[in-house]
């Protein structure tokens, strides 16, 4: 079995630790956890923390520090650009990485920058993180004007022409439905759970889950405690979210998108509040697989949830 985590903030962690004086961040901090947890591949999505200031400068800092790390890790890690390449990398025993964007804030107001990022290897993007930007309203949006902008529509069209996977996690509800209206290919929610089990703004209502499935996409199960159960987040409760979505639209539309919060810092209050026992970092991922077995999923379904479902969708969009 191979596990592909379709949402990881590793590149933000690399930038922050390199700026703090660390070196070999992936080798020393992340690779041991991947091996322990059976993680064979990840989607590294650039997260631009608003506290760091100008998002365009921060994106360049993340690109500079992360690509230097990738070059230093060629013995253990490789970037993949298609589903087939990611599969071959995982089969070789290396960690496979797909590059993505958690919001387009680093593009300023110019969607044409997507062409540059595509040629740097990026094959995935969300229009926005939780806050609003020049392209769309995020899940934290309040008030009028909720949805995508003309620049957001242009960005979606560029992504579909190039072959980049559109991601609706962190979109407001209106933005979600605007994305449905302005795209044709499968899209994903890389790290979102079921609203019916946990009514957090970041989770998906039943009609949204159905829309993703009808388009042929997947939903990655998120280990962030507030999106599982704010009172009692457990790995088995996350398996309940997976089962709920599988019962609603089929297990072939469920994936892994754990969104581990360790990049915030071990002592950060959000890290402490949202780490799920037995599913706190990449080293714990096999506990989720065990929880799926306890919940009654077949081995075929588990193989799909672990990596096959996401790679299938990526293959349809990217090739």
């Amino acid at each position: 079995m191979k596990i592909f985590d379709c949402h990881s903030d590793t590149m933000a962690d690399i930038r922050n630790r390199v700026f703090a004086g660390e070196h070999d961040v992936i080798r020393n901090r992340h690779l041991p956890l991947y091996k322990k947890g059976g993680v064979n591949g990840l989607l590294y999505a650039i997260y631009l923390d608003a506290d760091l200031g100008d998002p365009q400068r921060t994106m360049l800092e993340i690109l500079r520090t992360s690509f230097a790390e990738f070059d230093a890790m060629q013995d253990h890690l490789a970037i993949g650009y298609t589903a087939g390449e990611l599969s071959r990398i995982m089969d070789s025993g290396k960690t496979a990485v797909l590059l993505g964007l958690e919001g387009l804030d680093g593009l300023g107001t110019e969607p044409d920058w997507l062409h540059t990022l595509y040629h740097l290897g990026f094959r995935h993007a969300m229009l926005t993180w939780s806050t609003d930007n020049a392209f769309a309203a995020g899940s934290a949006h309040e008030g009028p004007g909720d949805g995508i902008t003309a620049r957001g529509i242009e960005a979606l069209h560029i992504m579909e022409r190039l072959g980049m996977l559109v991601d609706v996690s962190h979109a407001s509800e209106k933005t979600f439905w605007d994305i449905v209206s302005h795209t044709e290919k499968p899209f994903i929610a890389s790290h979102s759970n079921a609203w019916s089990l946990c009514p957090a703004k970041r989770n998906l209502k039943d009609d949204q889950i159905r829309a993703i499935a009808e388009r042929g996409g997947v939903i990655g199960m998120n280990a962030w405690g507030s999106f599982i159960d704010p009172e009692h987040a457990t790995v088995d409760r996350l398996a309940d979210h997976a089962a709920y979505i599988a019962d609603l639209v089929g297990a072939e539309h469920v994936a892994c998108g754990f969104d581990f919060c360790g990049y915030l810092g071990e002592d950060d209050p959000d890290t402490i509040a949202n780490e799920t026992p037995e599913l706190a970092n990449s080293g714990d991922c096999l506990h989720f697989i065990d929880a799926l077995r306890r919940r009654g999923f077949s081995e075929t379904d588990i193989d799909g949830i672990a990596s096959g479902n996401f790679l299938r969708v990526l293959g349809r969009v990217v090739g």
Side-chain angles (χ1 to χ4, degrees), residues 26-27 65-75 77 79:
I26 298 176
R27 189 181 303 275
T65 53
S66 295
F67 275 78
E69 286 264 332
F70 300 155
D71 284 345
M73 283 292 295
Q74 291 184 50
D75 52 339
L77 178 146
I79 307 299

Side-chain angles (χ1 to χ4, degrees), residues 233-248:
T234 66
V235 66
D236 285 293
R237 188 60 174 156
L238 183 58
D240 289 343
H241 283 265
Y244 181 88
I245 294 170
D247 289 344
L248 190 67

Side-chain angles (χ1 to χ4, degrees), residues 84 98 274:
L98 182 73
N274 284 290

Side-chain angles (χ1 to χ4, degrees), residues 193-249:
N193 297 331
W195 188 90
S196 290
L197 299 188
C198 179
K201 281 188 174 183
R202 279 277 291 99
N203 286 341
L204 298 166
K205 296 179 179 178
D206 288 0
D207 56 348
Q208 294 175 296
I209 293 170
R210 292 190 185 97
I212 293 170
E214 288 168 3
R215 190 67 69 82
V218 294
I219 300 160
M221 298 294 92
N222 191 332
W224 190 263
S226 298
F227 306 144
I228 298 174
D229 186 327
E231 301 299 324
H232 189 55
T234 66
V235 66
D236 285 293
R237 188 60 174 156
L238 183 58
D240 289 343
H241 283 265
Y244 181 88
I245 294 170
D247 289 344
L248 190 67
V249 296

Side-chain angles (χ1 to χ4, degrees), residues 10 73 75 77 80 85 90-91 95 105 122-123 172 182-183 186 215 228 234 241 256 276 293 313:
T10 303
M73 283 292 295
D75 52 339
L77 178 146
E85 287 179 354
M90 290 191 288
D91 288 342
T95 300
D105 297 68
F122 286 77
R123 296 295 184 267
S172 71
H182 291 283
T183 57
R215 190 67 69 82
I228 298 174
T234 66
H241 283 265
C256 297
T276 298
R293 291 192 177 104
V313 176

Side-chain angles (χ1 to χ4, degrees), residues 11-131:
M11 286 194 285
D13 191 52
I14 292 168
R15 181 261 178 210
N16 295 344
R17 293 188 184 278
V18 168
F19 273 48
E22 289 190 37
H23 301 284
D24 295 320
V25 177
I26 298 176
R27 189 181 303 275
N28 295 331
R29 289 190 174 269
H30 296 283
L31 187 63
L33 294 175
Y34 299 161
K35 292 185 178 299
K36 178 184 176 185
V39 176
N40 308 97
L42 307 95
L43 197 165
Y44 280 4
I46 290 182
Y47 166 64
L48 300 171
D49 190 334
D51 292 339
L52 297 177
D54 178 63
Q56 291 174 301
R57 188 200 71 234
T58 302
M59 184 172 73
L60 289 174
E61 292 170 351
I62 289 173
L63 289 171
R64 173 172 65 82
T65 53
S66 295
F67 275 78
E69 286 264 332
F70 300 155
D71 284 345
M73 283 292 295
Q74 291 184 50
D75 52 339
H76 287 289
L77 178 146
I79 307 299
Y81 307 100
T82 67
E85 287 179 354
L86 293 170
S87 293
R88 287 191 290 274
I89 293 165
M90 290 191 288
D91 288 342
S92 76
K94 292 184 178 181
T95 300
V97 169
L98 182 73
L99 298 177
L101 300 162
E102 190 167 22
L104 301 185
D105 297 68
L107 280 59
T109 62
E110 301 298 332
D112 278 349
W113 277 109
L114 284 166
H115 293 278
T116 302
L117 289 163
Y118 179 85
H119 286 288
L120 285 175
F122 286 77
R123 296 295 184 267
H124 156 280
M126 305 174 212
L127 292 180
T128 180
W129 185 67
S130 293
T131 53

